[in-house]
């Protein structure tokens, strides 16, 4: 049987009865937006992250946008973002009229470089968005020395732990995505902002719902971005499995790390306990390795092929010097990683990678 790159379909199959029941429960309950299921999931997930409040929103991108606005970032302000991440990190900044300033990343752990954050800070810089890339915690304690509000982009880091605590608990607020491929996901779009700051929680609640506390009376110019009851019901079922799924991912990552340590492959340095959202290797022979793995029916992806400062959409924010991000984009390759990979699949990935280097040497 062909191996899947991720377990979106397999996860559903493993819980289909419970998920179908949860969906039916919402449909017959008559409450579809901002109801008890969203509230329960907000409380559960905020607690899991080590924070006081969760605000369910429409997507991870919206969690970033709403988080930035709640922190007080205004049009024209600058926000530091890593050059190696999903475009959504910087899109969120631009979407509220602020300017993303691209900062280079580490060649070892692939996360934003704290020293460069200090160098890029100006009087216009109003926030930093460190990303826990591929689930690996960013160096938030060092980044905090810049003295700027931190909005964690924890879209890929549900359940990752660092020496400063759980991802999502350190910054003024943190944005999560529940996009179908994430470690904790729904079958559609969804996201959450978590925070222990009462003001940010209150403002974010207004922002996601037309700026309203009571119906038909807007206090601020909000938007419509609400996690709905159906997705929250699905997420509550999946959430019960998150720790177990993360344990399986970590066991697979451990096997990959052991099997690859003598090969000429770069591996993401471990800054904490990743949830192993993605398992990424680096090699100057990336494209050849990828073609060889394709011949072996081992699916791979590239996260990410182009650094943000080289993408057309961000040209208006001017040039940036991010040589590490550029080098990584030419070398990164994501191997199959999910909670439903069989030991035989893991063995086949390892064998195929070894075979490639045996032929190459
Ligand atoms: C690092 C990162 N930030 C933000 C997002 C945006 O999340 P969403 O797709 O839910 O808007 C994603 C998801 O693709 C992501 O990987």
């Amino acid at each position: 049987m062909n191996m899947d790159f991720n377990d979106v379909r397999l996860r559903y199959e493993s819980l289909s009865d419970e998920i179908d029941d949860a969906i039916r429960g919402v449909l017959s309950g008559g409450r579809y937006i901002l109801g008890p299921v969203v509230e329960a999931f907000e409380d559960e997930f905020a607690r899991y992250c080590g924070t006081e409040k969760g605000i369910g929103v429409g997507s991870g991108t919206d969690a970033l946008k709403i988080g930035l606005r709640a922190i007080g970032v205004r049009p024209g302000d600058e926000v530091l973002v890593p050059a190696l991440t999903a475009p959504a990190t910087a899109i969120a900044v631009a979407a509220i009229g602020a300017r993303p300033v691209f900062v280079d990343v580490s060649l070892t752990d692939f996360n934003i470089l704290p020293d460069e954050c200090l160098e890029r800070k100006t009087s216009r810089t109003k926030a930093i968005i460190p990303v826990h890339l591929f689930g690996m915690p960013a160096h938030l304690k060092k980044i905090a020395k810049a003295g700027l509000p931190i909005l964690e982009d924890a879209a890929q880091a549900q359940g990752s732990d660092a020496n400063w605590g759980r991802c999502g608990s350190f910054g003024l607020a943190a944005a999560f995505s529940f996009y179908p491929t994430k470690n904790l996901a729904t079958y559609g779009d969804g996201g959450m902002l978590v925070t222990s700051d009462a003001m940010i929680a209150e403002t974010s609640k207004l922002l996601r719902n037309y700026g309203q506390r009571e119906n038909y009376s807007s206090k601020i110019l909000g938007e419509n971005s609400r996690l709905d009851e159906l997705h929250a019901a699905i997420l509550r079922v999946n959430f019960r499995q998150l720790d177990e799924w993360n344990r399986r991912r970590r066991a697979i990552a451990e096997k990959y790390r052991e099997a690859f340590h003598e090969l000429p492959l770069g591996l993401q340095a471990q800054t904490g306990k990743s949830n192993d959202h993605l398992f990424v290797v680096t090699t100057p022979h990336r494209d050849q390795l990828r073609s060889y793995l394709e011949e072996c029916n081992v699916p791979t992806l590239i996260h990410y092929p182009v650094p943000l400062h080289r993408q057309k959409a961000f040209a208006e924010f001017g040039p940036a010097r991010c040589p590490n991000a550029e080098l990584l984009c030419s070398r990164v390759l994501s191997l199959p990683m999910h909670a439903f990979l069989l030991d035989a699949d893991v063995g086949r990935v390892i064998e195929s990678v070894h075979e490639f280097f045996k032929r190459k040497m």
Side-chain angles (χ1 to χ4, degrees):
M1 222 175 57
N2 277 349
M3 183 186 323
D4 288 312
F5 180 83
N6 62 46
D7 56 4
V8 179
R9 186 179 51 82
L10 297 167
R11 267 188 263 176
Y12 172 65
E13 282 171 8
S14 77
L15 293 172
S16 58
D17 287 346
E18 284 175 70
I19 289 176
D20 294 357
D21 281 351
I23 290 173
R24 245 181 263 118
V26 171
L27 292 181
S28 58
R31 260 313 265 287
Y32 307 116
I33 300 286
L34 295 182
V37 187
V38 169
E39 270 181 33
F41 179 58
E42 287 173 338
D43 285 348
E44 286 167 358
F45 190 68
R47 218 175 312 124
Y48 179 80
C49 294
T51 55
E52 299 282 326
K53 301 274 181 207
I55 300 95
V57 296
S59 67
T61 309
D62 283 356
L64 288 168
K65 276 164 47 187
I66 288 173
L68 285 168
R69 287 187 66 190
I71 283 173
V73 176
R74 299 281 168 259
D77 289 344
E78 291 180 358
V79 177
L80 305 184
V81 298
L84 181 68
T85 175
T89 310
I91 292 269
V93 176
I96 66 158
R99 295 179 66 82
V101 173
F102 299 108
V103 179
D104 209 0
V105 297
S106 156
L107 280 177
T108 56
D109 60 54
F110 313 161
N111 277 320
I112 194 166
L113 285 166
D115 289 347
E116 295 229 352
C117 290
L118 282 169
E119 279 169 30
R120 299 289 172 99
K121 179 184 166 183
T122 70
S123 57
R124 293 178 299 279
T125 315
K126 293 292 152 49
I128 305 182
I129 308 183
V131 178
H132 305 301
L133 199 67
F134 312 143
M136 194 63 80
H139 294 281
L140 298 193
K141 274 190 174 167
K142 288 185 189 157
I143 292 167
K145 291 191 181 138
L148 290 164
I150 291 176
L151 173 60
E152 293 175 57
D153 182 339
Q156 304 183 353
Q158 298 101 341
S160 293
D161 287 310
N163 60 7
W164 37 260
R166 176 145 287 173
C167 284
S169 67
F170 186 98
L172 211 42
F176 286 90
S177 163
F178 303 123
Y179 182 82
T181 58
K182 302 300 192 232
N183 291 33
L184 175 60
T186 184
Y187 300 101
D189 277 314
M192 197 182 292
L193 190 78
V194 299
T195 182
S196 294
D197 183 300
M199 276 293 287
I200 291 177
E202 193 50 34
T203 309
S204 303
K205 274 191 162 183
L206 290 177
L207 285 170
R208 74 167 170 187
N209 190 34
Y210 320 122
Q212 293 180 173
R213 197 166 287 125
E214 294 90 36
N215 276 352
Y216 316 122
S217 169
S218 292
K219 303 209 174 306
I220 54 175
L221 291 174
E223 54 185 288
N224 172 357
S225 179
R226 303 167 299 215
L227 182 67
D228 64 51
E229 293 281 291
L230 274 175
H231 287 303
I234 294 169
L235 281 159
R236 290 191 80 194
V237 175
N238 285 336
F239 182 48
R240 294 199 281 273
Q241 305 302 318
L242 176 62
D243 283 340
E244 194 184 320
W245 288 339
N246 281 351
R247 266 196 293 280
R248 174 66 183 150
R249 285 172 180 266
R250 285 173 177 141
I252 294 167
E254 202 48 48
K255 281 195 184 168
Y256 281 158
R257 283 180 181 274
E258 265 175 45
F260 297 150
H261 87 277
E262 279 173 5
L263 293 180
L265 269 182
L267 302 179
Q268 188 175 24
Q270 292 173 288
T271 57
K273 201 168 161 198
S274 173
N275 67 358
D276 290 296
H277 172 60
L278 289 171
F279 193 87
V280 174
V281 297
T282 66
T283 164
H285 312 294
R286 188 264 311 276
D287 294 338
Q288 292 152 277
L289 174 60
R290 188 169 199 214
S291 308
Y292 181 75
L293 292 177
E294 196 180 342
E295 280 171 34
C296 303
N297 286 321
V298 171
T300 61
L301 288 174
I302 294 176
H303 300 91
Y304 296 93
V306 187
L308 298 192
H309 65 292
R310 295 280 182 203
Q311 297 190 18
K312 195 169 164 212
F314 303 113
E316 66 181 281
F317 303 111
R321 230 194 125 262
C322 302
N324 294 353
E326 284 170 26
L327 188 72
L328 285 171
C329 286
S330 69
R331 294 187 171 189
V332 285
L333 187 66
S334 306
L335 300 180
M337 168 52 78
H338 59 79
F340 290 78
L341 267 188
L342 304 174
D343 286 345
D345 295 332
V346 177
R348 196 146 66 75
V349 174
I350 290 172
E351 237 170 72
S352 307
V353 172
H354 272 269
E355 187 58 29
F356 171 79
F357 282 104
K358 216 187 297 168
R359 290 180 187 202
K360 202 148 180 65
M361 299 301 172

